[in-house]
Amino acid sequence: MIRNIFVSLLVLVLLSGCSGSPESGKKAAIIYPGTLADSGMVVSAHPESSKIGVEVMRKGGNAVDAAVATEFALAVCYPEAGNIGGGGFMLFRSADGRTDMIDYRETAPALATASMYLDNEGKVIDGLSTDTHLSSGVPGTVDGMLNIHSKYGVLLFRDVIQPAIDLARKGFPVTSGQASDLNNYRELFLDRNISRPAFVKDSPWKCGDTLKQADLALTLERIRDFGREGFYSSRTAGLITKEMKRGRGLITLKDLSDYRSAFRDPLTTDYKGYKIISSSPPSGGGIILFQGLGMIEPYSLREMGFHSLSAVHLIAEAERRAFADRAEYLGDPDIMTVPYDRLIDKKYLLQRMKDFSPDSASLSSHVGPGTPMAVTSEETTHYSVVDPHGNAVAATTTLNGTFGSCIVVDSAGFLMNNQMDDFSLKPGFPNMYGLVGGETNSVRAGKRMLSSMTPVIIEKEGTLFLVAGSPGGSTIPTTLLQVIVNVIDFGMDLKSAIDTGRFHHQWYPDIILYERNGIDTAEVEKLVKMGHEMKIRGSIGRVNAIHILPDGRRSGGADRRGNNSAIGY
Ligand code: DON
């Protein structure tokens, strides 16, 4: 009896996300409740959004209904990255194997120019692309959700968005991580807004305090009642443009009414007999992931050993080369030709690794972009959904930085993105994730900025095997690469594959970043001797994934990094 009470209390504590700091490391040993399910499952960054997605499926909704409900719920209960003022990429695979992707990435306003973030001497003005009204692209989330829902949803849109409206109005308990995020950003919220946003209160936030968002509830109701018009014209659009004028931002009514999300073909490749499906440009995530996998495929990671010197070295060298290609070849496919097929061609990738030495580190200054044959191109959130029929959704959505620009549209209650920083502001100038780029990703009116978001769906012998994705800016595709090889090459169960340590290389800076205790000290020392610069950093990625077990059950992997939540039934 006492033991049962203790277990119930533990479950309650875990569901509320009040069990300690997300980075405390103590959570590594926690077995998340609800990670095994027979029918439907949602794994997302917050218990409330996972719960809402599952409830929608219990009412007869499919994976897309649940995903749209989860996305709007995240806009309420995970304002760090969930949004209606940002954008993302959603990958869909139907139970019978058809795939699709909706690109709801933001676009540059019509008044944007290549030099808008530069001073008279051509230097990048600090903070303009990240901290001001000028940092926002035209939001894509609302149009993306409406479009994917009208193509695949089976419930009424109003029933799918309603739980988020209720959540905004009634409020929800903030998790431990959120309490500290909200306290850390208090001054920025006060500084950048004329009215005090719901995210600010007199006393410091504590885990379990209720966050209510009345203005946001009204904005969501306008979307429920008027669809696209409820956001891209009429009152909400008026509030966005008024907010822009206050801070000399560029987004106009015309930019809003011109915005269109786009269905695009996802990219596919195969890796050791598995079919991998992921995002196509304007996200570079899928291509980096596929290039990385293609470059390491000829080697036996299993023989090398998990996080061994040879395995870390091999993966880092593949990542280095993939990111060098990103800077040269990737950009908005509506504006340029991206040579996808050639970049992920296995013969090209073999050739790309020709100068790879198993014994010493390459230098990024010597590793330029490759020449694909006959060339003629930190806060986000990911959720994964599988419904009882086996339809699957992997969606990654973002405001870019934590809480985006920290600018709340006055009286509309939602945060604007600072996604313009994902453009290459000037050739070779690093963005907030240290990524460099050139002309292919320069700022231009109406253009989509290059992303690293990498929603992934994997099939094994034609059946659904894994649904996954992560936040983490440039570390997103390398995080996914490691989770995939941990499952496929090292045979780990999903939760261990996610929770174990990670590392990252992105060409420039020419460093292998790794999580504290992520790689054994002895291996780190050997990597340094080999010529790699090694640097510890905070956590890398937060993967929310679902693995379909051989008996058909869904196994949810909610990353120990954060207050993520896997719920199924
Ligand atoms: O689209 C991108 O690649 C970035 N804006 C994503 C930002 C991100 O993942 C931040 N998360 N930690």
Side-chain angles (χ1 to χ4, degrees):
M1 165 80 169
I2 288 177
R3 189 166 163 266
N4 283 346
I5 292 172
F6 174 75
V7 169
S8 310
L9 278 175
L10 178 65
V11 166
L12 271 178
V13 164
L14 294 178
L15 273 174
S16 70
C18 292
S19 53
S21 135
E23 310 296 346
S24 67
K26 281 190 196 141
K27 296 187 73 182
I30 289 168
I31 297 162
Y32 285 81
T35 48
L36 272 185
D38 295 318
S39 304
M41 179 172 272
V42 178
V43 189
S44 77
H46 199 284
E48 296 292 338
S49 44
S50 296
K51 219 158 50 184
I52 283 176
V54 162
E55 275 160 21
V56 162
M57 283 193 277
R58 281 186 184 279
K59 286 185 185 146
N62 64 15
V64 170
D65 294 302
V68 173
T70 303
E71 176 102 15
F72 281 115
L74 283 164
V76 177
C77 66
Y78 198 66
E80 292 95 323
N83 64 82
I84 53 174
F89 294 86
M90 184 185 284
L91 207 59
F92 169 68
R93 181 185 182 276
S94 66
D96 60 6
R98 281 167 301 132
T99 57
D100 205 348
M101 180 183 96
I102 183 105
D103 152 11
Y104 50 107
R105 185 69 162 164
E106 300 89 330
T107 52
L111 290 171
T113 62
S115 59
M116 66 185 276
Y117 299 110
L118 308 182
D119 65 14
N120 291 339
E121 288 163 17
K123 291 206 192 93
V124 173
I125 303 168
D126 194 32
L128 216 53
S129 68
T130 51
D131 305 343
T132 69
H133 288 71
L134 280 180
S135 68
S136 298
V138 184
T141 299
V142 174
D143 194 61
M145 291 307 108
L146 285 161
N147 272 339
I148 191 93
H149 180 264
S150 72
K151 191 162 175 187
Y152 297 109
V154 293
L155 297 184
L156 291 177
F157 181 74
R158 57 182 306 113
D159 295 334
V160 169
I161 194 175
Q162 190 61 43
I165 298 172
D166 298 339
L167 193 65
R169 184 156 289 126
K170 289 185 195 141
F172 67 92
V174 301
T175 62
S176 56
Q178 288 186 303
S180 54
D181 281 348
L182 290 167
N183 292 332
N184 292 339
Y185 280 76
R186 184 175 200 280
E187 295 313 313
L188 280 184
F189 284 133
L190 287 173
D191 230 44
R192 295 193 193 158
N193 294 288
I194 40 164
S195 309
R196 190 166 136 142
F199 310 123
V200 174
K201 68 184 186 70
D202 292 331
S203 54
W205 288 94
K206 294 185 307 306
C207 182
D209 283 352
T210 303
L211 172 58
K212 293 184 186 179
Q213 298 166 84
D215 285 342
L216 178 59
L218 291 171
T219 300
L220 291 169
E221 276 174 352
R222 288 192 288 277
I223 299 168
R224 176 195 66 193
D225 297 340
F226 306 109
R228 224 193 105 80
E229 280 68 45
F231 186 84
Y232 292 95
S233 48
S234 71
R235 179 167 164 77
T236 310
L239 291 171
I240 296 173
T241 51
K242 191 169 160 210
E243 181 62 49
M244 286 292 129
K245 281 197 191 112
R246 180 179 78 76
R248 297 209 205 105
L250 299 183
I251 299 174
T252 61
L253 283 177
K254 178 150 180 4
D255 287 324
L256 290 165
S257 67
D258 282 352
Y259 181 84
R260 292 287 179 277
S261 56
F263 285 101
R264 300 190 195 275
D265 290 335
L267 297 178
T268 57
T269 191
D270 55 276
Y271 176 73
K272 299 192 175 170
Y274 292 78
K275 180 174 169 189
I276 322 271
I277 305 152
S278 190
S279 51
S280 54
S283 179
I287 292 183
I288 292 172
L289 172 66
F290 291 4
Q291 285 199 312
L293 289 172
M295 284 187 254
I296 64 178
E297 192 176 30
Y299 301 84
S300 172
L301 282 173
R302 194 188 285 265
E303 269 172 33
M304 291 177 179
F306 175 69
H307 278 189
S308 63
L309 168 71
S310 336
V312 175
H313 173 60
L314 171 69
I315 292 173
E317 291 295 333
E319 291 173 354
R320 180 200 306 278
R321 286 159 178 79
F323 275 95
D325 278 5
R326 175 196 199 271
E328 180 77 10
Y329 295 111
L330 305 189
D332 182 349
D334 288 343
I335 292 196
M336 59 174 284
T337 309
V338 180
Y340 319 98
D341 295 346
R342 296 186 183 98
L343 284 169
I344 62 176
D345 180 271
K346 296 272 171 82
K347 281 196 226 99
Y348 167 63
L349 296 172
L350 261 184
Q351 187 204 320
R352 198 78 181 89
M353 286 293 268
K354 254 191 159 161
D355 60 350
F356 164 73
S357 155
D359 306 317
S360 64
S362 314
L363 287 173
S364 285
S365 51
H366 293 174
V367 176
T371 311
M373 277 108 178
V375 169
T376 40
S377 175
E378 198 138 349
E379 185 95 28
T380 295
T381 189
H382 177 87
Y383 57 94
S384 296
V385 182
V386 174
D387 72 15
H389 316 287
N391 300 301
V393 168
T396 315
T397 184
T398 189
L399 290 164
N400 196 24
T402 305
F403 299 113
S405 62
C406 293
I407 295 165
V408 176
V409 176
D410 193 28
S411 306
F414 66 90
L415 286 154
M416 288 298 287
N417 67 81
N418 57 354
Q419 216 78 247
M420 293 293 281
D421 189 65
D422 273 351
F423 278 118
S424 169
L425 308 184
K426 185 180 158 170
F429 184 84
N431 73 1
M432 74 163 89
Y433 301 102
L435 287 170
V436 289
E439 184 48 36
T440 53
N441 190 32
S442 61
V443 186
R444 181 163 145 189
K447 184 172 167 181
R448 284 162 150 88
M449 54 299 274
L450 191 56
S451 171
S452 301
M453 289 187 267
T454 317
V456 174
I457 297 180
I458 301 183
E459 288 176 14
K460 184 182 181 186
E461 288 152 10
T463 57
L464 184 63
F465 177 72
L466 194 80
V467 185
S470 175
S474 54
T475 67
I476 298 174
T478 58
T479 291
L480 266 302
L481 183 143
Q482 288 168 77
V483 171
I484 291 170
V485 301
N486 290 349
V487 171
I488 295 181
D489 293 76
F490 295 114
M492 291 183 194
D493 67 89
L494 180 64
K495 186 79 173 86
S496 313
I498 292 172
D499 284 351
T500 190
R502 290 198 268 265
F503 58 92
H504 170 76
H505 198 300
Q506 62 177 45
W507 186 41
Y508 282 110
D510 191 349
I511 295 174
I512 297 180
L513 298 166
Y514 66 104
E515 294 178 319
R516 187 175 299 283
N517 304 324
I519 307 179
D520 278 355
T521 319
E523 301 305 308
V524 171
E525 281 165 10
K526 289 186 219 159
L527 283 155
V528 170
K529 280 204 187 113
M530 205 178 222
H532 288 287
E533 189 177 337
M534 304 292 295
K535 195 169 162 192
I536 294 179
R537 58 157 271 176
S539 64
I540 297 178
R542 285 185 187 183
V543 175
N544 284 327
I546 302 173
H547 177 202
I548 310 300
L549 301 176
D551 64 8
R553 280 179 305 162
R554 288 78 165 108
S555 158
D559 205 317
R560 68 177 166 85
R561 304 161 181 85
N563 297 123
N564 302 291
S565 150
I567 301 182
Y569 67 106

